[in-house]
Amino acid sequence: MEELDGEPAVTVIPGVNSKKNQMCFDWGPGEMLVCETSFSKKEKSEMVPSCPFIYIIRKDVDVYSQILRKLFNESHGIFLGLQRIDEELTGKSRKSQLVRVSKNYRSVIRACMEEMHQVAIAAKDPASGRQFSSQVSILSAMELIWNLCEILFIEVAPAGHLLLHLLDWVRLHVCEVDSLSADVLGSENPSNHDSFWNLPGNTQTLTELELKWQHWHEECERYLQDSTFATNPHLESLLKIMLGDEAALLEQKELLSNWYHFLVTRLLYSNPTVKPIDLHYYAQSSLDLFLGGESSPEPLDNILLAAFEFDIHQVIKECSIALSNWWFVAHLTDLLDHCKLLQSHNLYFGSNMREFLLLEYASGLFAHPSLWQLGVDYFDYCPKLGRVSLELHIERIPLNTEQKALKVLRICEQRQMTEQVRSICKILAMKAVRNNRLGSALSWSIRAKDAAFATLVSDRFLRDYCERGCFSDLDLIDNLGPAMMLSDRLTFLGKYREFHRMYGEKRFADAASLLLSLMTSGIAPRSFWMTLLTDALPLLEQKQVIFSAEQTYELMQCLEDLTSRRPVRGESDIQQLQDEDIETTKVEMLRLALARNLARAIIREGSLEGS
Amino acid sequence: MREAVLTWCVPLELLCSHPLPVSAFLKTQVKLYTYRACAGKDEMGKMVSVINTVDTSHEDMIHDAQMDYYGTRLATCSSDRSVKIFDVRNGGQILIADLRGHEGPVWQVAWAHPMYGNILASCSYDRKVIIWREENGTWEKSHEHAGHDSSVNSVCWAPHDYGLILACGSSDGAISLLTYTGEGQWEVKKINNAHTIGCNAVSWAPAVVPGSLIDQPSGQKPNYIKRFASGGCDNLIKLWKEEEDGQWKEEQKLEAHSDWVRDVAWAPSIGLPTSTIASCSQDGRVFIWTCDDASGNTWSPKLLHKFNDVVWHVSWSITANILAVSGGDNKVTLWKESVDGQWVCISDVNKGQGSVSASVTEGQQNEQ
């Protein structure tokens, strides 16, 4: 049967009385909903006073922190740069690039830390001041861990350099180390450390260094044996320290702020050319010695230990537990993956872990009204599930403004997410129709390639025209272009407007042909034919003959078609009778006009043929 | 006992209890676990906190609360017979509508896809399903469906690709499907005796175009195969499929529960050929059903967990990576599957044994 690692942690929702009621839960796109309820479906409630509150819960609250935002924004740029590093690069140049990326990330963390520190100091009330301070210490811990990972995993400092780096590392994070150095430097020992570490020039090999150090170490030992400094206990303890005597070091515990400070100091004096693989022995014992059985290791200690043991996965796992958001593990894992470290551990899911963490981080970003844009890029670099995750998330972004909608659409179009484009355009078209912005609705339905909706909107346009006698959004309709073909009704709308334009430009013959073709081709909806025929009236009444005889016959056909199909009305009220009257009058007028036109057309055509 | 690896895990657990100081619960970490039948476990933990408390002023028990598509509006329904809608943007809570029309406790509400406008469905003990719509800024009753002989327990909107279709499950054992045909008209199809004694839950399968996923020429509607799942008092989960003639046929029976099925939830699609359904029951069990082949024929259940009390409700997060389970033991547990079964290999207990355990088979490595 399944075993659990321990009790899952618990979040308490205040005000929900668990003794009496159950908890109802639902997912929002970004948040979660929780409320008190009773699931057993009885008609009468049990008269238990119920809680009318609904709690909206969010994970990833850090996304909303103003200062952390800078961290997210700037690291996003570094992330992208890292993804684009040429895969062809190998060896030293690649490594130096990766180290540079790591340093960039760290400087961003430090900048954030600085800012938060300023805010903490300036905070008006002590509670928020404390909160900010704790955030600062969390960021500091993050930088500490990252720095160590950089030294061990990315820089892969070899013996010799390793200790230098570790010295820098400790120095950066622990101010007190300086005082200890001063002590040591002030000793009477001729070989001070500065000349020892003449490495920048790299003039000494590791063996030379080891030899030198051995010699110096023996010299110190001799002094101790000879009790040269027996009279001065202070100097003698210093000597012991320089020989790496742990007990002596521990006596100065107050000067050593933590065990890794102790570790590095110890290494400095007992084994400065320590090899990376030997680090963990010293690390574990340093931790044990320093804590002295008085306290147990904290999460940070475990993380650092795991790093010293080169157990990358453990580092990531422990960081995930200890930290409150995915930022750190996602970016660090990604960088380590680029160093080809996750695969080298030969664990099946190395690359998947990177993606797993990036997906979690990016999903969290989508909960934020503007940071979601960063999330898009992260999804782009998740080859397995990035695309589908993006599809699911991007549809849920509220499209409050046209600008935002266009932004979202552009992102979808760039990635050929046609389904999402269609869906979003449909939503916007529907919104526009409800707000009576027909032009906007039409352009959205065209963009969505939604024929049905385009038909609906075109119908509205035509209805509007019938009621008001003019078109709205002429610009749009005039410039439909090939989009006109999307739906028959839309084509009709476009062509009908073209008819009006031609008429306005006095291109009567063209207008007439177009008008006729609209009916004969079947594009025009039957309900509109009367309007079209009425439009033909002025053309029929012109001095010159516009419609040819044949065209006139066709018009007559259309009219008869239309009138014969009209449903027989039963008992009608006065309004309907009046409408009928108007209809009948119109038809009579048309018949007359058509007949007259026919006569004139026949005469004209007959004459022309003759001459 | 199954030897096969259970790739599911126990992440968060939300416990409701008497009030504690705010700072205490804000700092409580929520942990994610993964676990396996044989080897060790793993943890990932993230912070969770309450960001808004909406006072619905319902006078009686709340039965359902649903966020709309964008998370900007909240709909709630209650035994006080009302359905309420709130605007919850930016941590606020503005009552937009207090909808009356039901004559009994309202059990569920469901938001339709925004491309059809602002539409909400509700179902009630009064045997009715009401569809509410926002027109010109005000919410009104748009349609009422009274085709059931007993309490309607569950409503679920179909994927928007199918059109505007609502499935309703009732205690009279029938499932009705309402399809909007335009001009305020709804067409009704009824599946009688879908479940003996009663139907408790309905859930639609995500829209997946069968066969190739190549883009259909625009204007042509792809041939979707419409499917949904229902759970009932006959302890069964049934899968329904729409035939070419428009009739609904029972496609599958999923049997594993020993008591009434209280809820079913079909997971959103993440582009893989696997389909996943979660079901929970009066018997305290939650099963995860998966079907690997595209034809949808062989479903295999995995027991997620056996709880000590009735499990009432299961729901998937929008990217289907977390399953929420609401139980009678007054807790909500959130479950998360690892990226692939292997992630659980790393553990505190077996530290040092970093190799992949042999008991993890190829089949378990499928990602959900």
Side-chain angles (χ1 to χ4, degrees):
Chain A
M1 202 50 212
E2 310 92 23
E3 305 138 44
L4 287 173
D5 207 352
E7 285 307 300
V10 155
T11 299
V12 173
I13 310 298
V16 181
N17 189 340
S18 71
K19 298 279 187 311
K20 295 186 175 151
N21 293 313
Q22 289 123 14
M23 212 153 79
C24 173
F25 178 97
D26 246 314
W27 292 101
E31 291 84 19
M32 303 173 260
L33 296 177
V34 168
C35 72
E36 199 179 275
T37 188
S38 165
F39 285 115
S40 47
K41 294 190 162 100
K42 300 194 176 73
E43 192 198 347
K44 282 276 176 277
S45 64
E46 282 149 2
M47 297 309 167
V48 171
S50 53
C51 174
F53 295 124
I54 308 253
Y55 301 95
I56 303 179
I57 311 175
R58 181 187 285 148
K59 300 192 301 173
D60 307 312
V61 279
D62 285 345
V63 166
Y64 282 80
S65 155
Q66 272 294 85
I67 300 169
L68 286 182
R69 212 157 136 179
K70 269 223 199 112
L71 183 69
F72 301 140
N73 270 312
E74 293 184 12
S75 59
H76 165 256
I78 303 172
F79 173 83
L80 285 181
L82 174 58
Q83 310 309 307
R84 292 173 190 155
I85 281 183
D86 192 359
E87 279 303 308
E88 302 281 307
L89 270 182
T90 48
K92 262 197 184 157
S93 51
R94 184 184 174 82
K95 183 163 107 165
S96 66
Q97 280 223 343
L98 292 170
V99 169
R100 201 169 336 127
V101 169
S102 179
K103 289 193 197 294
N104 283 340
Y105 274 127
R106 278 175 42 220
S107 66
V108 166
I109 299 176
R110 292 201 82 86
C112 195
M113 222 163 85
E114 255 312 303
E115 198 179 324
M116 207 168 277
H117 182 63
Q118 295 305 320
V119 173
I121 298 174
K124 296 257 170 63
D125 70 291
S128 67
R130 272 197 299 277
Q131 204 184 14
F132 282 119
S133 296
S134 83
Q135 272 277 31
V136 172
S137 52
I138 292 174
L139 284 168
S140 167
M142 275 163 50
E143 209 261 316
L144 179 76
I145 299 166
W146 194 303
N147 198 345
L148 184 60
C149 291
E150 181 185 304
I151 296 169
L152 298 175
F153 306 140
I154 306 175
E155 186 83 64
V156 198
H161 288 267
L162 178 59
L163 188 59
L164 261 189
H165 284 292
L166 287 176
L167 269 173
D168 281 335
W169 173 63
V170 163
R171 199 175 289 139
L172 198 57
H173 291 273
V174 181
C175 314
E176 291 89 278
V177 72
D178 289 312
S179 54
L180 190 63
S181 308
D183 265 357
V184 174
L185 285 172
S187 79
E188 288 185 18
N189 193 294
S191 342
N192 66 40
H193 301 276
D194 279 350
S195 67
F196 210 67
W197 302 107
N198 208 7
L199 290 175
N202 248 344
T203 50
Q204 306 170 72
T205 66
L206 193 64
T207 346
E208 283 172 12
L209 216 59
E210 265 182 339
L211 234 52
K212 244 194 172 168
W213 183 81
Q214 273 295 110
H215 177 77
W216 173 80
H217 192 88
E218 279 156 17
E219 206 181 315
C220 288
E221 266 183 351
R222 237 182 305 123
Y223 286 146
L224 197 63
Q225 299 287 350
D226 300 346
S227 303
T228 321
F229 299 107
T231 48
N232 191 334
H234 181 71
L235 276 175
E236 208 174 58
S237 86
L238 255 175
L239 205 52
K240 283 204 189 136
I241 288 172
M242 292 200 304
L243 286 169
D245 184 312
E246 288 122 15
L249 268 172
L250 280 172
E251 275 167 33
Q252 309 295 325
K253 204 170 168 179
E254 317 83 59
L255 290 172
L256 299 165
S257 43
N258 47 52
W259 66 274
Y260 39 95
H261 184 180
F262 172 52
L263 163 69
V264 174
T265 315
R266 201 179 139 204
L267 285 171
L268 179 64
Y269 297 123
S270 62
N271 187 1
T273 54
V274 62
K275 295 202 262 300
I277 49 165
D278 295 331
L279 261 182
H280 71 104
Y281 295 124
Y282 291 97
Q284 184 68 63
S285 63
S286 300
L287 175 64
D288 295 334
L289 284 169
F290 194 83
L291 291 179
E294 284 162 11
S295 47
S296 41
E298 291 182 4
L300 178 60
D301 300 329
N302 290 326
I303 294 169
L304 294 174
L305 255 185
F308 283 121
E309 291 167 13
F310 284 84
D311 190 347
I312 294 183
H313 290 91
Q314 189 67 18
V315 171
I316 295 170
K317 175 188 158 182
E318 302 251 4
C319 288
S320 307
I321 298 169
L323 295 169
S324 69
N325 64 58
W326 297 100
W327 180 87
F328 182 81
V329 280
H331 288 88
L332 181 62
T333 309
D334 173 59
L335 179 55
L336 294 176
D337 187 63
H338 274 86
C339 301
K340 309 263 192 281
L341 283 172
L342 297 180
Q343 289 140 13
S344 75
H345 274 60
N346 213 26
L347 279 167
Y348 188 83
F349 56 93
S351 60
N352 284 341
M353 176 152 66
R354 167 193 173 269
E355 182 161 321
F356 177 71
L357 295 171
L358 284 175
L359 287 173
E360 290 292 332
Y361 174 66
S363 299
L365 288 175
F366 267 86
H368 191 275
S370 60
L371 285 178
W372 62 269
Q373 295 169 75
L374 304 180
V376 174
D377 289 320
Y378 286 97
F379 279 137
D380 279 344
Y381 287 102
C382 292
K384 283 199 175 151
L385 293 177
R387 189 189 166 85
V388 67
S389 301
L390 179 58
E391 284 172 4
L392 289 166
H393 276 107
I394 207 154
E395 278 193 309
R396 302 290 186 135
I397 295 175
L399 306 167
N400 330 351
T401 62
E402 176 120 344
Q403 212 183 14
K404 200 168 185 186
L406 287 171
K407 211 184 275 192
V408 172
L409 277 173
R410 206 176 334 122
I411 290 172
C412 293
E413 278 164 356
Q414 278 168 352
R415 290 158 181 77
Q416 281 95 48
M417 292 181 172
T418 43
E419 275 312 306
Q420 280 66 34
V421 171
R422 226 171 271 162
S423 162
I424 292 170
C425 288
K426 270 179 165 167
I427 294 171
L428 293 166
M430 173 59 94
K431 242 207 287 197
V433 163
R434 279 205 324 268
N435 294 327
N436 234 6
R437 292 180 290 118
L438 294 181
S440 186
L442 189 60
S443 47
W444 285 124
S445 28
I446 290 173
R447 196 159 173 178
K449 298 204 177 58
D450 187 349
F453 212 82
T455 304
L456 196 135
V457 180
S458 309
D459 266 337
R460 284 280 291 266
F461 265 112
L462 293 167
R463 221 185 316 153
D464 262 9
Y465 169 78
C466 287
E467 281 168 24
R468 293 185 300 152
C470 63
F471 283 111
S472 55
D473 303 285
L474 281 175
D475 257 347
L476 176 62
I477 305 173
D478 283 345
N479 294 308
L480 283 173
M484 217 191 286
M485 298 301 146
L486 181 60
S487 99
D488 275 351
R489 196 56 47 83
L490 184 57
T491 315
F492 170 66
L493 179 66
K495 290 282 173 202
Y496 186 56
R497 169 65 201 143
E498 202 180 316
F499 162 74
H500 277 265
R501 272 208 321 274
M502 286 181 187
Y503 190 95
E505 291 161 15
K506 300 210 191 313
R507 292 158 51 201
F508 295 128
D510 291 331
S513 310
L514 179 56
L515 185 66
L516 185 57
S517 70
L518 286 177
M519 280 185 283
T520 53
S521 65
I523 288 184
R526 232 163 234 272
S527 50
F528 217 75
W529 277 22
M530 206 55 204
T531 314
L532 291 174
L533 288 166
T534 319
D535 283 334
L537 264 177
L539 290 170
L540 293 165
E541 302 287 334
Q542 290 277 338
K543 269 228 192 88
Q544 72 218 109
V545 174
I546 299 168
F547 284 103
S548 72
E550 188 164 333
Q551 284 176 326
T552 316
Y553 279 127
E554 288 187 55
L555 279 172
M556 284 168 150
Q557 183 69 50
C558 291
L559 182 59
E560 293 317 310
D561 235 344
L562 193 60
T563 51
S564 66
R565 291 228 198 143
R566 236 184 299 141
V568 177
R569 284 185 222 271
E571 287 293 310
S572 17
D573 61 13
I574 306 223
Q575 180 61 42
Q576 275 184 304
L577 282 170
Q578 281 183 343
D579 286 342
E580 273 202 32
D581 268 343
I582 296 171
E583 282 299 297
T584 330
T585 319
K586 261 201 235 168
V587 172
E588 290 307 317
M589 278 176 64
L590 274 167
R591 287 215 176 101
L592 183 60
L594 284 167
R596 282 216 294 258
N597 192 69
L598 184 60
R600 296 191 305 166
I602 291 175
I603 294 171
R604 189 190 69 150
E605 281 159 37
S607 322
L608 279 170
E609 274 164 6
S611 55
Chain B
M1 181 173 50
R2 286 175 66 95
E3 224 288 315
V5 168
L6 178 71
T7 55
W8 285 87
C9 55
V10 185
L12 314 107
E13 204 165 289
L14 303 173
L15 177 74
C16 54
S17 155
H18 287 292
L20 280 188
V22 167
S23 56
F25 82 82
L26 274 180
K27 283 207 162 55
T28 310
Q29 266 194 341
V30 162
K31 288 189 183 169
L32 294 181
Y33 294 125
T34 55
Y35 64 84
R36 264 183 48 180
C38 320
K41 299 99 207 166
D42 213 291
E43 291 186 4
M44 307 267 278
K46 292 297 146 273
M47 288 283 281
V48 157
S49 53
V50 175
I51 56 161
N52 194 0
T53 304
V54 177
D55 181 354
T56 62
S57 302
H58 273 299
E59 289 150 11
D60 206 330
M61 191 71 68
I62 299 172
H63 290 288
D64 198 11
Q66 295 275 336
M67 285 284 219
D68 76 345
Y69 203 66
Y70 299 119
T72 50
R73 285 182 172 176
L74 172 66
T76 64
C77 63
S78 159
S79 274
D80 70 2
R81 304 173 178 196
S82 72
V83 172
K84 296 194 186 189
I85 302 176
F86 298 86
D87 181 328
V88 292
R89 277 176 296 188
N90 303 319
Q93 40 179 298
I94 305 167
L95 178 68
I96 299 175
D98 185 342
L99 306 170
R100 308 273 163 170
H102 280 296
E103 286 149 4
V106 188
W107 301 128
Q108 274 192 14
V109 283
W111 288 95
H113 193 275
M115 74 166 63
Y116 297 108
N118 286 339
I119 300 176
L120 185 72
S122 62
C123 65
S124 159
Y125 181 86
D126 69 356
R127 303 174 300 199
K128 290 195 284 206
V129 171
I130 298 182
I131 296 170
W132 315 86
R133 201 190 268 260
E134 187 188 30
E135 256 345 301
N136 303 321
T138 46
W139 281 88
E140 282 154 6
K141 186 197 289 201
S142 166
H143 181 74
E144 190 178 285
H145 170 62
H148 283 285
D149 307 321
S150 208
S151 167
V152 183
N153 301 321
S154 175
V155 278
C156 184
W157 290 102
H160 67 87
D161 317 68
Y162 300 165
L164 195 57
I165 305 178
L166 183 70
C168 322
S170 164
S171 286
D172 66 2
I175 297 172
S176 52
L177 293 135
L178 310 178
T179 308
Y180 187 64
T181 48
E183 316 274 324
Q185 298 304 311
W186 292 81
E187 179 194 271
V188 180
K189 285 198 193 128
K190 202 167 175 197
I191 305 172
N192 283 307
N193 294 317
H195 292 273
T196 50
I197 309 175
C199 172
N200 293 325
V202 283
S203 174
W204 287 88
V208 174
V209 182
S212 74
L213 295 166
I214 300 168
D215 222 1
Q216 300 273 343
S218 64
Q220 220 189 0
K221 265 214 152 170
N223 285 334
Y224 291 110
I225 296 178
K226 299 186 190 127
R227 279 197 177 93
F228 70 90
S230 65
C233 302
D234 50 7
N235 308 352
L236 296 172
I237 297 145
K238 292 192 179 179
L239 304 184
W240 304 87
K241 181 174 136 178
E242 194 190 44
E243 301 280 280
E244 270 148 29
D245 58 357
Q247 294 308 305
W248 287 87
K249 197 183 96 168
E250 180 190 309
E251 198 188 27
Q252 288 269 322
K253 253 199 255 287
L254 305 180
E255 289 183 68
H257 287 293
S258 54
D259 207 334
W260 291 14
V261 176
R262 282 290 172 191
D263 202 6
V264 286
W266 206 311
S269 159
I270 48 167
L272 299 168
T274 42
S275 295
T276 310
I277 298 176
S279 69
C280 65
S281 157
Q282 198 85 20
D283 66 8
R285 290 194 182 84
V286 176
F287 280 101
I288 309 290
W289 303 83
T290 46
C291 174
D292 280 336
D293 57 297
S295 61
N297 283 337
T298 34
W299 291 85
S300 30
K302 271 188 204 147
L303 178 70
L304 176 76
H305 192 58
K306 163 99 175 50
F307 292 84
N308 296 325
D309 203 332
V310 180
V311 184
W312 293 96
H313 187 49
V314 281
S315 69
W316 295 95
S317 63
I318 59 162
T319 44
N321 59 351
I322 309 184
L323 178 72
V325 178
S326 305
D329 55 356
N330 304 343
K331 286 190 248 182
V332 173
T333 46
L334 301 182
W335 301 70
K336 188 184 182 79
E337 188 183 34
S338 54
V339 173
D340 52 45
Q342 261 71 7
W343 170 234
V344 301
C345 264
I346 293 177
S347 78
D348 279 325
V349 176
N350 296 324
K351 199 168 171 192
Q353 297 172 22
S355 59
V356 175
S357 166
S359 65
V360 176
T361 59
E362 285 302 304
Q364 305 304 336
Q365 289 156 14
N366 280 338
E367 289 183 342
Q368 285 292 338

